[in-house]
Amino acid sequence: MLKIDTEKCTGCKICEKVCPFGAIVVVDNIAQIQDNCTLCGACVNSCPVEALSIERKPVPKEELDKFSGIFIWGECEEKNERIVPKKVVRELLAQGRKLADRLDQDLTVVFLGDGKLTGLETLITYGADRIMRCQHKLLGNFTTDSFTNVISAVISKERPSVFLFGATPHGRELAPRVAARLHLGLTADCTGLEIDEKGELIQTRPAFGGNIMASIVSPYTRPQMATVRPNVFSFVEPDNSRKGEIQDFDVILSPSAIRTKVVAMERLSDEREVSIEDADIIVSAGKGCQKKENLKLIQELADALGGVTAGSRAIVELDWIPHTKQVGQSGLTVGPQLYIAVGISGAIQHLVGMSSAKTIIAINKDPDAPIFKVADLGIVGDAMDILPVLIRDLKK
Amino acid sequence: MIADRYNKISVNLRRSVAEKLVKMKILICVKQVPEITDVKINPETGTLIREGVDSILNPFCEYAVEMGLELERHYGDIETVAISMGPPQASSALIRCLEMGVDRATLLADMRFAGSDTWATAFTLAQAIRAMEGDFDLILVGKQAIDGDTAQVGPELSEILGIPQIMYAVSVELTGNKKKIRAKREIETGNEIMEIKLPGLVSLSKGPMIRSVSSFKEILDARKKELRVATASDLNIDENELGLGGSLTQVVKIFPPQVKKTGKLVDGSEPQGAAKKLIGFLRERKFV
Ligand SMILES: Cc1cc2nc3c(=O)[nH]c(=O)nc-3n(C[C@H](O)[C@H](O)[C@H](O)COP(=O)(O)OP(=O)(O)OC[C@H]3O[C@@H](n4cnc5c(N)ncnc54)[C@H](O)[C@@H]3O)c2cc1C
Ligand SMILES: Cc1cc2nc3c(=O)[nH]c(=O)nc-3n(C[C@H](O)[C@H](O)[C@H](O)COP(=O)(O)OP(=O)(O)OC[C@H]3O[C@@H](n4cnc5c(N)ncnc54)[C@H](O)[C@@H]3O)c2cc1C
Ligand code: SF4
Ligand code: SF4
C-alpha cells in the first residue's frame, strides 16, 4: 500500500510529475492515489518532505508463485550511427531461454529508447517470445534516473519472476537502483544461473577477486534480480522459424525526473574498431613492453591475428593507451577466445578482468610471474626479442 | 490544517537558509576488507579462512577518502566524516581515514548487523545517515569493495536516500557556489563530464596509485579526533530489517573456483624457437 502522510504533504506536485502511470494527483493541495498505482515507488523517493511511503510486507510463498516470466534488459549501444542491442543481450537471451523453458514461462526483452529503435525483431530469432518497446524522447540517452523509472514501472506492472541485466557499467549502475526502489534482492556479476527443483533461481558468482564462488538465492522477493557477466554465456545461432510479438509499453516521463546533466563527452575509442569487451582476440601489453614505441609490435601482432589491442592499468597510467582499453578491476572485463599477455605481471586486479578468456598465452621474462598461473601457454623470455620474429613468421 | 501546513513550509525554508551558513559536509562510506591476494577457503566447511589475513581499508574507499580531502583542501570550509558498518575491528580502517586527514568518524558496530547483504547494508547506512548526518551535502563511496565485489551498496544507498548519483568518477570539482558537483567519469567509449545538484552521491573508480603515507604528526592528530561507535539502537530501524534477517539475498553455498590447469611453461630465451612454439600452439587451437 502507498501511504500519504497528509500532515506532511505540501501539495508541491513533484510526485505527480515523476509517476510513470499518472496514478497520483494533487487535489486541493494534497496528493491522492488512484486505483492504477502499481507501487513502483518512483514517487516515494522524489517527495521532498518524505510524505509518501510504501509498506512492504514479506510476501507469502503462494504470492511469489504469481510472478511469472523471464525478463531481460535489452541494453543498446551506438555503432556506426545506429542504435543496436549489445552483444550481452544475445548471451542473456540464450541463457534466459533455458530458464524460461525450464519454468515453462515466456522470455521478454525490454528495450528503452527514443524513436530510433529498429531491427529489434531479429531478437526473436535469438530466443525471445516478446519484445517490449519503451519509447520516449527522454530515453534517447541512458540516464540512471529515467531508466530506473521506466524499468521499475515495467516490473511493477508486469510482475516477472526473473529480471536479468548485463553486468556492464550501465547495468551495474541501473540494477541496484531498481532493486532498492522496489525492495528486491539483487545478485551481482553472475557467471552461472540455474533453476533448482523448487523453481528458485540459483545465481552463482565469483567474489573476493575471483578467489571464491558463491551461490545465492533471493527467497523473499520477486522478480529475482541479477546482473550477468558478459562473455560468459555463449549465444545461439539465430532460428528464423521462431515466432514472437512486439509490444509497446506506455511511458510517462517528465524532464524533472532526470537529475544528471552531461556537460561534455569525449570519445577515445575508435568507432570502427571492435571494443575490447566484444573482441574475440586480444593482444594485451604491460609495463614489460618498456616503452610506448614498442606498442607498435603489439598492434602488428593483433593485426596479424585479426584481433584488437588492450593493456594493463600500469600502461594506462603511463598514458600509452586510453582507459577504454584497460583490462581489470578498475577497467573492463573481457572474455575473448584468445588473450595474449605481453609483459604483464598478472596482479590480481588484472587477472579478475581477463581470467574468463578461453585461451591465455603469456610472454614474460620472469618465470615466477603470477600471470603464468592462468596461462595455457607460457613463454619465459624477452618479449621485445620474440615479437618481431613471431610477427614475421605469422605473416609468411 | 492549512495553517499547519504553512508552518511546515516555513520551517523548511528557515532550515534551508540556516543550512547555507553552516559548513559543507562530505560523508565518506568506507569498508574494511581482507587483502584478497591471501584469501583461502576451508575445503571441508566451505567457509573463508580469515585468520592470518591482513585487513586493509578497501582501496576504492581510499580513493574516496583522498577525493574528499582534496575537495576540502581546494575549496576550504568543508567537514569530512567517514562512516563504516562493520565489526569492532573495523575501527582500524576508520583510524586510517582519520590519519589521512578526515575530521571525524563513526563506526556502526552491532552483532545484529552481521550477515547484511547489500540491501541491508545500504539501508542501515541510510538510516544512520538520516539519524546522525542528515544535513550532508555529498556522499563519496568506492566503486566496489574488493571482497564482496558487488558494487551495489553505492547506488542502493543513493536510491534509498532519494538522491542522484554519478558512478565511476576519476576526478571531481564543486561548481555553482558548492551547490553542484561535476565529475569526470570513465565510460566504455571515453570520458564523460557529468553534473548533479547536491545533495548527491559519487563513486570513485580511480585515484593516484601512490598512497600517501601518514606522517607522525598526522597519526598523533588522529588520536585526538572523534571516533564514535553507534549501535542499532541509535538508528530508527526495525529489528527485522537488520543484518541477515533484513537481507533479501542469501548465500547458500561457497566453493572454490574450478582451478584452471596451468599450461606448459616454455623457455623462450631463443626468439626463433619461442616464435615456432607459439605458432604451433596457435595452429593447434585453430587461431591461425
Ligand atoms: C584498486 C586497484 C585497482 C586496480 N585495477 C587494475 C586494473 O583494472 N587493471 C590492471 O591491469 N591493474 C590494476 N591495478 C594495478 C595492478 O595492481 C598492477 O599494478 C598492474 O596490473 C601492473 O601492470 P603490469 O603488469 O603492466 O606492470 P608490472 O607489474 O610492472 O609488470 C611488468 C611485467 O613485465 C615483465 N617484463 C619486463 N620486461 C620484460 C620483457 N622485456 N619481456 C617480457 N616481460 C617483461 C616483468 O617480469 C613483469 O612481470 C589496480 C590496483 C589497485 C590497487
Ligand atoms: C561471497 C559473497 C557474495 C555476496 N554476494 C552478494 C550479492 O550478490 N548480492 C548482495 O546483495 N550481497 C552479496 N553479498 C553480501 C555483501 O558482500 C555485503 O552486503 C557487503 O556488506 C557489501 O557488499 P560489497 O562488499 O559488495 O560492497 P560494494 O557494494 O562493492 O561496496 C561499494 C562501496 O560501498 C561502500 N560500502 C560497502 N559496504 C560498506 C560498509 N559495510 N560500511 C560502509 N560503507 C560500505 C563503500 O564505499 C564501498 O567502496 C555477498 C557476500 C559474500 C561473502
Ligand atoms: S511530492 Fe510529496 S509533498 Fe509534494 S505533492 Fe507529492 S506527496 Fe505532497
Ligand atoms: S508508486 Fe508508482 S504508480 Fe504508485 S503513485 Fe507512486 S509513482 Fe505512481
Side-chain angles (χ1 to χ4, degrees):
Chain A
M1 259 294 285
L2 179 64
K3 289 205 302 201
I4 301 182
D5 187 333
T6 49
E7 292 282 292
K8 283 187 182 164
C9 176
T10 61
C12 73
K13 296 195 177 186
I14 291 178
C15 53
E16 232 183 66
K17 294 201 188 87
V18 302
C19 174
F21 298 100
I24 192 164
V25 285
V26 176
V27 182
D28 292 338
N29 267 325
I30 297 212
Q32 283 183 7
I33 307 151
Q34 319 290 303
D35 293 341
N36 57 342
C37 167
T38 62
L39 298 180
C40 77
C43 59
V44 176
N45 295 335
S46 74
C47 174
V49 296
E50 290 174 30
L52 300 170
S53 60
I54 292 181
E55 219 179 294
R56 295 192 191 273
K57 292 198 201 71
V59 191
K61 187 85 190 85
E62 51 277 20
E63 272 295 302
L64 295 183
D65 294 337
K66 290 189 191 144
F67 289 73
S68 171
I70 313 290
F71 278 51
I72 286 166
W73 175 40
E75 183 176 4
C76 291
E77 64 186 339
E78 197 178 325
K79 257 196 187 152
N80 309 318
E81 282 158 46
R82 285 188 51 217
I83 308 287
V84 292
K86 290 193 98 163
K87 184 174 151 211
V88 69
V89 176
R90 276 174 288 160
E91 296 165 9
L92 288 174
L93 276 171
Q95 194 58 24
R97 185 72 255 158
K98 286 186 199 154
L99 304 178
D101 288 344
R102 176 79 214 275
L103 289 169
D104 197 18
Q105 296 179 359
D106 276 355
L107 178 61
T108 304
V109 208
V110 185
F111 284 101
L112 280 65
D114 52 15
K116 291 196 214 107
L117 292 176
T118 51
L120 301 179
E121 309 79 50
T122 53
L123 290 165
I124 293 171
T125 65
Y126 284 99
D129 296 312
R130 181 165 64 148
I131 311 277
M132 187 172 278
R133 261 189 322 211
C134 307
Q135 299 194 82
H136 193 282
K137 59 179 192 304
L138 292 173
L139 294 173
N141 292 312
F142 175 89
T143 66
T144 2
D145 283 332
S146 63
F147 277 52
T148 303
N149 261 21
V150 175
I151 301 255
S152 303
V154 168
I155 292 177
S156 63
K157 180 140 186 289
E158 300 286 322
R159 297 162 66 89
S161 64
V162 173
F163 203 112
L164 306 174
F165 300 79
T168 58
H170 281 160
R172 295 188 77 171
E173 171 169 359
L174 171 64
R177 276 209 86 119
V178 174
R181 178 167 298 177
L182 296 170
H183 196 205
L184 300 170
L186 173 65
T187 307
D189 205 20
C190 297
T191 55
L193 292 172
E194 262 170 72
I195 303 285
D196 73 357
E197 59 289 351
K198 285 183 288 179
E200 241 176 359
L201 184 66
I202 310 288
Q203 308 153 94
T204 300
R205 59 173 299 247
F208 288 77
N211 282 301
I212 64 163
M213 303 296 292
S215 293
I216 291 169
V217 292
S218 303
Y220 317 111
T221 54
R222 293 291 179 276
Q224 302 161 89
M225 300 234 297
T227 59
V228 179
R229 182 177 287 194
N231 294 311
V232 171
F233 298 110
S234 40
F235 52 87
V236 292
E237 288 304 311
D239 170 0
N240 289 319
S241 67
R242 282 192 52 82
K243 295 261 173 317
E245 54 173 339
I246 299 193
Q247 253 180 30
D248 282 305
F249 185 89
D250 286 334
V251 177
I252 301 177
L253 200 59
S254 122
S256 62
I258 300 171
R259 295 167 295 180
T260 50
K261 192 171 107 196
V262 174
V263 182
M265 195 112 106
E266 177 191 12
R267 197 172 177 111
L268 294 174
S269 60
D270 185 344
E271 209 182 325
R272 287 153 308 180
E273 197 179 73
V274 180
S275 74
I276 61 169
E277 287 172 294
D278 291 345
D280 279 333
I281 294 180
I282 295 177
V283 183
S284 194
K287 217 167 151 187
C289 290
Q290 281 146 7
K291 43 183 203 274
K292 189 174 180 179
E293 292 73 61
N294 289 339
L295 295 190
K296 257 197 346 264
L297 292 171
I298 303 294
Q299 185 68 54
E300 279 180 44
L301 178 57
D303 290 343
L305 293 166
V308 301
T309 60
S312 70
R313 168 148 159 199
I315 74 165
V316 173
E317 308 256 325
L318 290 167
D319 239 349
W320 294 0
I321 56 166
H323 72 81
T324 52
K325 284 180 172 287
Q326 181 191 319
V327 173
Q329 197 171 53
S330 52
L332 295 163
T333 306
V334 300
Q337 297 297 320
L338 174 64
Y339 188 88
I340 306 185
V342 184
I344 293 178
S345 58
I348 180 91
Q349 297 90 353
H350 188 81
L351 299 184
V352 293
M354 46 66 77
S355 48
S356 55
K358 304 283 176 313
T359 303
I360 298 168
I361 298 178
I363 309 177
N364 195 307
K365 65 179 183 191
D366 174 8
D368 297 322
I371 188 81
F372 288 133
K373 289 202 197 114
V374 298
D376 299 279
L377 175 67
I379 307 276
V380 185
D382 191 324
M384 296 308 112
D385 292 342
I386 297 169
L387 286 195
V389 186
L390 176 65
I391 294 162
R392 192 198 60 206
D393 288 357
L394 272 175
K395 283 185 181 159
K396 269 198 259 175
Chain B
M1 175 106 183
I2 289 179
D4 198 37
R5 248 198 335 271
Y6 175 77
N7 263 337
K8 280 215 177 82
I9 297 177
S10 56
V11 168
N12 277 334
L13 282 178
R14 246 182 281 132
R15 199 176 55 193
S16 62
V17 171
E19 267 165 11
K20 287 208 182 83
L21 302 174
V22 302
K23 267 191 179 183
M24 176 178 189
K25 189 193 275 189
I26 300 181
L27 305 181
I28 309 157
C29 296
V30 299
K31 189 181 182 196
Q32 188 181 49
V33 296
E35 276 266 35
I36 47 166
T37 24
D38 298 343
V39 174
K40 301 249 158 27
I41 97 164
N42 181 332
E44 268 147 45
T45 58
T47 52
L48 294 172
I49 303 173
R50 289 181 192 254
E51 291 92 65
V53 177
D54 280 343
S55 288
I56 54 166
L57 174 61
N58 177 40
F60 290 103
C61 294
E62 195 155 315
Y63 299 155
V65 172
E66 270 165 11
M67 201 55 82
L69 293 171
E70 197 165 304
L71 289 174
E72 182 182 358
R73 279 192 294 270
H74 195 268
Y75 297 93
D77 221 19
I78 294 176
E79 185 186 29
T80 49
V81 185
I83 300 183
S84 186
M85 183 188 91
Q89 307 86 284
S91 60
S92 60
L94 287 173
I95 291 171
R96 165 94 180 118
C97 296
L98 295 173
E99 287 172 0
M100 287 171 75
V102 166
D103 296 323
R104 56 190 176 84
T106 299
L107 176 67
L108 307 169
D110 194 316
M111 283 298 285
R112 290 172 285 177
F113 296 147
S116 296
D117 74 345
T118 60
W119 159 265
T121 303
F123 187 66
T124 307
L125 287 172
Q127 290 308 85
I129 290 169
R130 280 177 175 143
M132 296 182 270
E133 315 284 355
D135 56 346
F136 72 90
D137 298 280
L138 172 65
I139 300 179
L140 296 175
V141 301
K143 174 198 172 202
Q144 75 191 72
I146 59 169
D147 54 351
D149 266 346
T150 66
Q152 287 175 183
V153 172
E156 288 181 335
L157 177 61
S158 50
E159 177 61 32
I160 297 169
L161 292 172
I163 56 177
Q165 71 193 30
I166 302 180
M167 307 303 288
Y168 326 121
V170 293
S171 65
V172 292
E173 59 181 306
L174 295 169
T175 55
N177 201 14
K178 291 190 187 169
K179 289 281 168 287
K180 290 180 181 169
I181 192 154
R182 197 175 263 206
K184 176 173 156 187
R185 57 187 216 130
E186 295 189 345
I187 56 171
E188 291 153 296
T189 51
N191 290 316
E192 193 171 74
I193 314 270
M194 200 177 247
E195 191 177 73
I196 52 175
K197 275 205 198 104
L198 296 176
L201 178 143
V202 174
S203 90
L204 275 304
S205 81
K206 268 185 197 170
M209 285 280 256
I210 314 120
R211 310 255 176 106
S212 49
V213 181
S214 306
S215 68
F216 188 60
K217 181 173 180 305
E218 283 169 324
I219 292 174
L220 282 183
D221 283 352
R223 297 215 188 147
K224 296 186 209 122
K225 293 179 184 169
E226 175 189 316
L227 202 176
R228 175 174 170 194
V229 180
T231 66
S233 321
D234 299 314
L235 317 178
N236 173 18
I237 193 164
D238 212 71
E239 189 78 21
N240 53 31
E241 285 177 312
L242 291 171
L244 195 62
S247 294
L248 304 175
T249 59
Q250 249 177 29
V251 178
V252 286
K253 194 168 95 186
I254 285 189
F255 55 100
Q258 267 185 343
V259 265
K260 197 172 158 171
K261 283 203 313 287
T262 307
K264 7 178 222 277
L265 213 54
V266 175
D267 172 32
S269 50
E270 205 271 299
Q272 213 72 49
K276 209 168 155 213
K277 273 264 159 43
L278 267 161
I279 292 180
F281 182 83
L282 291 171
R283 282 229 173 83
E284 187 192 312
R285 304 272 172 128
K286 303 208 162 48
F287 288 114
V288 288

